[in-house]
PDB file of all heavy atoms in Angstrom:
ATOM      1  N   GLY H  43       3.101 -17.933 -20.763  1.00  0.00           N
ATOM      2  CA  GLY H  43       2.368 -17.517 -19.579  1.00  0.00           C
ATOM      3  C   GLY H  43       2.277 -18.578 -18.509  1.00  0.00           C
ATOM      4  O   GLY H  43       1.438 -18.510 -17.621  1.00  0.00           O
ATOM      5  N   GLY H  44       3.142 -19.603 -18.583  1.00  0.00           N
ATOM      6  CA  GLY H  44       3.092 -20.648 -17.565  1.00  0.00           C
ATOM      7  C   GLY H  44       1.850 -21.507 -17.680  1.00  0.00           C
ATOM      8  O   GLY H  44       1.292 -21.938 -16.673  1.00  0.00           O
ATOM      9  N   ASN H  45       1.439 -21.765 -18.914  1.00  0.00           N
ATOM     10  CA  ASN H  45       0.199 -22.524 -19.103  1.00  0.00           C
ATOM     11  C   ASN H  45       0.402 -24.005 -18.807  1.00  0.00           C
ATOM     12  O   ASN H  45       1.507 -24.532 -18.859  1.00  0.00           O
ATOM     13  CB  ASN H  45      -0.326 -22.347 -20.537  1.00  0.00           C
ATOM     14  CG  ASN H  45       0.532 -23.077 -21.560  1.00  0.00           C
ATOM     15  OD1 ASN H  45       0.314 -24.244 -21.838  1.00  0.00           O
ATOM     16  ND2 ASN H  45       1.513 -22.384 -22.133  1.00  0.00           N
ATOM     17  N   ILE H  46      -0.709 -24.672 -18.506  1.00  0.00           N
ATOM     18  CA  ILE H  46      -0.717 -26.111 -18.243  1.00  0.00           C
ATOM     19  C   ILE H  46      -1.326 -26.798 -19.451  1.00  0.00           C
ATOM     20  O   ILE H  46      -2.385 -26.413 -19.932  1.00  0.00           O
ATOM     21  CB  ILE H  46      -1.534 -26.432 -16.982  1.00  0.00           C
ATOM     22  CG1 ILE H  46      -0.940 -25.696 -15.781  1.00  0.00           C
ATOM     23  CG2 ILE H  46      -1.573 -27.927 -16.724  1.00  0.00           C
ATOM     24  CD1 ILE H  46      -1.768 -25.816 -14.528  1.00  0.00           C
ATOM     25  N   THR H  47      -0.653 -27.832 -19.955  1.00  0.00           N
ATOM     26  CA  THR H  47      -1.096 -28.494 -21.178  1.00  0.00           C
ATOM     27  C   THR H  47      -1.570 -29.908 -20.885  1.00  0.00           C
ATOM     28  O   THR H  47      -0.929 -30.651 -20.141  1.00  0.00           O
ATOM     29  CB  THR H  47       0.044 -28.543 -22.215  1.00  0.00           C
ATOM     30  OG1 THR H  47       0.507 -27.219 -22.461  1.00  0.00           O
ATOM     31  CG2 THR H  47      -0.440 -29.166 -23.517  1.00  0.00           C
ATOM     32  N   MET H  48      -2.696 -30.257 -21.485  1.00  0.00           N
ATOM     33  CA  MET H  48      -3.234 -31.609 -21.404  1.00  0.00           C
ATOM     34  C   MET H  48      -3.596 -32.048 -22.819  1.00  0.00           C
ATOM     35  O   MET H  48      -4.019 -31.248 -23.644  1.00  0.00           O
ATOM     36  CB  MET H  48      -4.483 -31.656 -20.515  1.00  0.00           C
ATOM     37  CG  MET H  48      -4.227 -31.285 -19.068  1.00  0.00           C
ATOM     38  SD  MET H  48      -5.759 -31.299 -18.093  1.00  0.00           S
ATOM     39  CE  MET H  48      -6.207 -33.050 -18.261  1.00  0.00           C
ATOM     40  N   GLY H  49      -3.398 -33.325 -23.107  1.00  0.00           N
ATOM     41  CA  GLY H  49      -3.682 -33.820 -24.456  1.00  0.00           C
ATOM     42  C   GLY H  49      -4.357 -35.168 -24.450  1.00  0.00           C
ATOM     43  O   GLY H  49      -4.301 -35.909 -23.464  1.00  0.00           O
ATOM     44  N   GLY H  50      -4.987 -35.463 -25.537  1.00  0.00           N
ATOM     45  CA  GLY H  50      -5.656 -36.750 -25.666  1.00  0.00           C
ATOM     46  C   GLY H  50      -6.101 -36.951 -27.104  1.00  0.00           C
ATOM     47  O   GLY H  50      -6.043 -36.036 -27.932  1.00  0.00           O
ATOM     48  N   GLY H  51      -6.547 -38.128 -27.416  1.00  0.00           N
ATOM     49  CA  GLY H  51      -6.984 -38.387 -28.781  1.00  0.00           C
ATOM     50  C   GLY H  51      -7.886 -39.594 -28.879  1.00  0.00           C
ATOM     51  O   GLY H  51      -7.921 -40.444 -27.983  1.00  0.00           O
ATOM     52  N   PHE H  52      -8.613 -39.619 -29.975  1.00  0.00           N
ATOM     53  CA  PHE H  52      -9.501 -40.740 -30.241  1.00  0.00           C
ATOM     54  C   PHE H  52      -9.522 -40.963 -31.746  1.00  0.00           C
ATOM     55  O   PHE H  52      -9.872 -40.069 -32.520  1.00  0.00           O
ATOM     56  CB  PHE H  52     -10.912 -40.450 -29.714  1.00  0.00           C
ATOM     57  CG  PHE H  52     -11.885 -41.565 -29.996  1.00  0.00           C
ATOM     58  CD1 PHE H  52     -11.844 -42.730 -29.246  1.00  0.00           C
ATOM     59  CD2 PHE H  52     -12.815 -41.444 -31.018  1.00  0.00           C
ATOM     60  CE1 PHE H  52     -12.731 -43.768 -29.511  1.00  0.00           C
ATOM     61  CE2 PHE H  52     -13.704 -42.471 -31.287  1.00  0.00           C
ATOM     62  CZ  PHE H  52     -13.665 -43.640 -30.534  1.00  0.00           C
ATOM     63  N   ASN H  53      -9.128 -42.178 -32.177  1.00  0.00           N
ATOM     64  CA  ASN H  53      -8.988 -42.486 -33.603  1.00  0.00           C
ATOM     65  C   ASN H  53      -7.999 -41.500 -34.216  1.00  0.00           C
ATOM     66  O   ASN H  53      -6.839 -41.482 -33.865  1.00  0.00           O
ATOM     67  CB  ASN H  53     -10.332 -42.457 -34.309  1.00  0.00           C
ATOM     68  CG  ASN H  53     -11.231 -43.598 -33.844  1.00  0.00           C
ATOM     69  OD1 ASN H  53     -10.750 -44.637 -33.388  1.00  0.00           O
ATOM     70  ND2 ASN H  53     -12.534 -43.403 -33.937  1.00  0.00           N
ATOM     71  N   GLU H  54      -8.446 -40.671 -35.149  1.00  0.00           N
ATOM     72  CA  GLU H  54      -7.532 -39.739 -35.810  1.00  0.00           C
ATOM     73  C   GLU H  54      -7.715 -38.303 -35.309  1.00  0.00           C
ATOM     74  O   GLU H  54      -7.231 -37.359 -35.915  1.00  0.00           O
ATOM     75  CB  GLU H  54      -7.768 -39.778 -37.324  1.00  0.00           C
ATOM     76  CG  GLU H  54      -7.424 -41.121 -37.955  1.00  0.00           C
ATOM     77  CD  GLU H  54      -7.622 -41.108 -39.457  1.00  0.00           C
ATOM     78  OE1 GLU H  54      -8.075 -40.063 -39.979  1.00  0.00           O
ATOM     79  OE2 GLU H  54      -7.296 -42.116 -40.107  1.00  0.00           O
ATOM     80  N   VAL H  55      -8.426 -38.177 -34.219  1.00  0.00           N
ATOM     81  CA  VAL H  55      -8.667 -36.842 -33.670  1.00  0.00           C
ATOM     82  C   VAL H  55      -7.804 -36.635 -32.426  1.00  0.00           C
ATOM     83  O   VAL H  55      -7.865 -37.424 -31.483  1.00  0.00           O
ATOM     84  CB  VAL H  55     -10.152 -36.654 -33.289  1.00  0.00           C
ATOM     85  CG1 VAL H  55     -10.365 -35.265 -32.675  1.00  0.00           C
ATOM     86  CG2 VAL H  55     -11.028 -36.841 -34.511  1.00  0.00           C
TER      87      VAL H  55
END
Side-chain angles (χ1 to χ4, degrees):
N45 72 88
I46 301 173
T47 304
M48 297 178 62
F52 178 76
N53 292 335
E54 295 182 357
V55 178

